[in-house]
């Protein structure tokens, strides 16, 4: 079942309240895992290994303050990924794996990341 990023955003917003931050993070992780089939806990190491942090500002990743690509903060609320692909879990995963398949002139390089690893990164981005 493919769940849209907007559904994730709604579930996170529904958590609310004083203790809501911890609950919302847990819910966001759970929903992001279901959406992508990835594990957001594995993503920080992957983000550093594949150089994502050198080009993007990524919340929760120390040193991820790159200015080459857009900030990835709030990615789950966006309509498009890379300005060309609908913000759906499978499209985000394939954008991470092979951005030129969506946009041949994209400045984002093919990093060599495997699909399973891209699912972990996508889960992390949707959970933040």
């Amino acid at each position: 079942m493919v769940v849209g990023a907007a559904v994730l955003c709604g579930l996170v917003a529904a958590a609310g309240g004083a203790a809501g931050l911890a609950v919302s993070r847990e819910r966001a992780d759970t929903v992001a895992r279901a959406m992508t089939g990835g594990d957001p806990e594995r993503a920080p190491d992957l983000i550093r290994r594949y150089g994502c942090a050198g080009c993007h500002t990524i919340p929760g990743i120390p040193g991820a303050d790159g200015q080459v690509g857009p900030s990835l903060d709030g990615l789950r609320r966006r309509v498009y990924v890379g300005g060309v692909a609908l913000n759906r879990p499978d499209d985000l995963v394939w954008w991470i794996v092979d951005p030129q398949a969506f946009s041949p002139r994209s400045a984002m390089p093919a990093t060599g990341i495997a699909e399973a690893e891209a699912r972990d990164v996508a889960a992390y981005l949707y959970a933040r």
Side-chain angles (χ1 to χ4, degrees):
M1 174 176 154
V2 175
V3 179
V7 172
L8 170 65
C9 192
L11 288 172
V12 171
L21 186 57
V23 171
S24 66
R25 175 67 55 168
E26 185 177 318
R27 284 186 184 174
D29 281 359
T30 299
V31 172
R33 287 171 193 269
M35 289 172 59
T36 63
D39 181 351
E41 291 179 23
R42 290 192 293 245
D45 289 336
L46 296 169
I47 287 168
R48 284 187 285 276
R49 181 182 335 147
Y50 287 101
C52 309
C55 292
H56 297 281
T57 298
I58 306 169
I61 306 293
D65 55 4
Q67 300 297 309
V68 175
S71 170
L72 299 180
D73 188 28
L75 180 81
R76 69 176 174 248
R77 294 183 300 271
R78 298 182 193 172
V79 175
Y80 294 102
V81 174
V84 295
L86 287 175
N87 189 359
R88 299 183 299 206
D90 286 341
D91 285 346
L92 176 58
V93 169
W94 284 112
W95 174 264
I96 293 168
V97 170
D98 186 11
Q100 282 76 31
F102 288 94
S103 181
R105 296 185 60 191
S106 173
M108 182 164 156
T111 61
I113 193 168
E115 179 186 350
E117 294 169 320
R119 289 190 178 283
D120 295 338
V121 172
Y124 181 89
L125 296 173
Y126 279 143
R128 299 295 173 287

